[in-house]
Amino acid sequence: MTNRVAPAAVLAKRSRPVRPAGPRRVLALAQLSNSVGDGAYYVTSALYFTHVVGLAPARVGLGLTVAWAVGSVVGVPLGRLADRRGPRGTAVLLALATGLAVASFLFVRGFVPFVLAACAYAAAQSGLAAARQALLAGLVAREERTGLLAHLQATLNAGLAVGAGLGGLALHLGTREAYLGVFALDAATFLLCAAVLLRLPVVEPVHARVSVDQGRGRGDDALGVLRDRPYAVVTLLNTVLLLRMPLLSLGIPLWIAERTEAPTWLVSALFVLNTGAVMLFQVRTARGVTGPVSATRAVRRSGLVMLASCAVFALSAGVSPWVAVGLLTIGAVLQVVAEMQQSAGSWQLSFDLAPADRVGEYQGFFGTGVTVARTMGPLVLTALLVGWGTPGWLLLGGLLLAASYAMGPAVRWATGGRPAEPIRQPVPVPVN
């Protein structure tokens, strides 16, 4: 019988973003390498395309919408390519392709080249995400995947925070050369990511075959994953839950500026709060998620907490500045708690409900939820929060709660007669 309370040193090691040895560390280093560049890109790209390239903001928005729509479509075939040809080689090639797409932004001088480069970037990013998931599935035992994904998410946030700081320096300088330096850095980090991924063991490709996995009819055809209706429903519900993604970058900043008396610097403070919380607590949040039942429970809890968060955000309108600051901070804490629970639950479900020989294809499809949320989220949040105000917050919270509770029946449909929770063998905790 193992001790219930681990020594403090062991707990500290288990909370670190980069795991201590083997393929897990390499995967974390690959995540860290390109997330630094992405963090710098995210905070500077809009101003680069408008101020340096000279595109109108509306055209930038249209181009990115088209690009992410393309990315959502190609994620499945690129994930299938990872299954057929091997996830490591596919991930390396897509990391190189992403770096080249970012580098091409350096030479964009018009709208059409911008759209083409953005489509290449979004397609490569979507495919890379699917290939990485397939690679992780080939290297890590099923019962360890969610825990490792939590470590990778913490690593991602650490890299984004560092990158955002570098991007902030470029914004402060405000020169063309500074912006170009950020894009060159992002391209270089994807090249570094490809080099790091080459350090991983080769994972043999899994050849797709006709499967009657629990009678769900997963045939080897062009519409394979789309024919898996339970998985498609789970993906749709997860997409609804991912509408919370643009809150931090768009919804809350607009709400603070348009509807509250809170100071605008709070936007930055809440971003730091979110990224810091994920770095510190995502791993702990994911520890209790071990199978479909616990994953569904985590998603359901996230819906309840998200409803409470939306209600608190709604209360911040029409009050004094410092009361608004307090309410917005409480709402942001609740929001990041819900985010971590929903992330852990969805990671587990995305793997557990996918056939073992088509992980890349299924992860590519599941990942379309992110691109759809990035595309539709700004429109939905702007209409609800800025347009409707307090009722919009409550409607958003109710929608997320309904989707989280609908996940239970959808998962039961997907699992059919299989055991609800896999038997989890003890995993030794590394101590050095």
Side-chain angles (χ1 to χ4, degrees):
M1 182 96 179
T2 57
N3 292 331
R4 291 183 178 271
V5 180
V10 174
L11 287 175
K13 285 179 177 290
R14 293 178 68 179
S15 299
R16 291 176 183 170
V18 179
R19 296 198 64 167
R24 296 169 179 80
R25 166 173 276 187
V26 178
L27 287 168
L29 289 175
Q31 182 83 290
L32 179 64
S33 62
N34 74 260
S35 64
V36 172
D38 276 346
Y41 169 84
Y42 292 151
V43 300
T44 59
S45 58
L47 292 179
Y48 172 78
F49 293 129
T50 55
H51 292 180
V52 176
V53 179
L55 298 175
R59 286 200 152 196
V60 173
L62 175 61
L64 292 178
T65 298
V66 171
W68 285 114
V70 170
S72 68
V73 171
V74 304
V76 172
L78 289 176
R80 183 177 294 177
L81 179 66
D83 291 333
R84 300 290 185 83
R85 301 300 181 186
R88 192 191 75 161
T90 304
V92 169
L93 289 176
L94 288 170
L96 293 173
T98 307
L100 290 175
V102 173
S104 71
F105 285 132
L106 296 170
F107 307 100
V108 165
R109 296 295 181 269
F111 178 66
V112 173
F114 163 70
V115 173
L116 294 176
C119 286
Y121 172 77
Q125 277 275 47
S126 297
L128 177 59
R132 274 177 157 174
Q133 298 292 70
L135 184 57
L136 182 148
L139 292 172
V140 180
R142 178 181 291 269
E143 65 271 11
E144 296 183 64
R145 291 173 188 168
T146 297
L148 177 56
L149 282 167
H151 280 275
L152 296 180
Q153 185 71 7
T155 302
L156 171 67
N157 276 265
L160 290 176
V162 173
L166 296 175
L169 178 60
L171 291 175
H172 175 71
L173 295 174
T175 64
R176 175 187 177 86
E177 290 72 20
Y179 285 112
L180 294 178
V182 165
F183 277 74
L185 170 66
D186 195 22
T189 60
F190 277 100
L191 300 182
L192 177 60
C193 172
V196 173
L197 290 173
L198 282 173
R199 296 174 55 192
L200 290 168
V202 174
V203 176
E204 293 297 324
V206 287
H207 298 287
R209 54 188 179 271
V210 176
S211 175
V212 290
D213 184 20
Q214 285 74 43
R216 291 168 62 188
R218 290 159 167 156
D220 183 14
D221 56 75
L223 298 176
V225 66
L226 296 178
R227 293 186 187 277
D228 191 341
R229 288 177 292 175
Y231 196 89
V233 170
V234 170
T235 300
L236 175 62
L237 293 172
N238 188 64
T239 300
V240 174
L241 294 172
L242 289 174
L243 289 176
R244 50 92 183 155
M245 289 183 62
L247 270 179
L248 199 63
S249 60
L250 179 70
I252 293 174
L254 288 177
W255 175 258
I256 290 175
E258 300 291 333
R259 296 278 187 159
T260 78
E261 300 297 324
T264 54
W265 56 258
L266 187 62
V267 173
S268 176
L270 295 183
F271 181 85
V272 173
L273 170 66
N274 182 278
T275 55
V278 172
M279 288 170 57
L280 292 174
F281 301 111
Q282 180 68 80
V283 174
R284 296 182 185 181
T285 302
R287 283 178 187 161
V289 179
T290 58
V293 170
S294 52
T296 303
R297 191 181 304 122
V299 171
R300 189 165 55 241
R301 283 198 303 265
S302 77
L304 287 169
V305 177
M306 199 66 218
L307 175 61
S309 173
C310 289
V312 173
F313 280 132
L315 292 174
S316 63
V319 296
S320 67
W322 291 109
V323 172
V325 168
L327 289 170
L328 289 165
T329 302
I330 294 172
V333 170
L334 292 171
Q335 187 267 330
V336 73
V337 169
E339 174 187 332
M340 291 187 290
Q341 292 174 333
Q342 187 266 330
S343 295
S346 65
W347 294 332
Q348 187 76 35
L349 293 174
S350 71
F351 280 112
D352 281 357
L353 303 181
D357 60 339
R358 302 176 76 172
V359 172
E361 178 185 349
Y362 272 62
Q363 288 297 317
F365 181 70
F366 199 80
T368 60
V370 175
T371 57
V372 171
R374 283 175 171 171
T375 303
M376 300 301 298
L379 299 176
V380 173
L381 294 183
T382 301
L384 287 179
L385 307 185
V386 179
W388 290 21
T390 297
W393 274 113
L394 298 180
L395 181 58
L396 175 63
L399 176 64
L400 298 177
L401 179 66
S404 70
Y405 268 76
M407 191 68 81
V411 171
R412 286 194 293 272
W413 182 22
T415 55
R418 287 179 288 168
E421 201 84 18
I423 298 174
R424 186 171 188 178
Q425 300 299 327
V427 179
V429 178
V431 294
N432 55 33

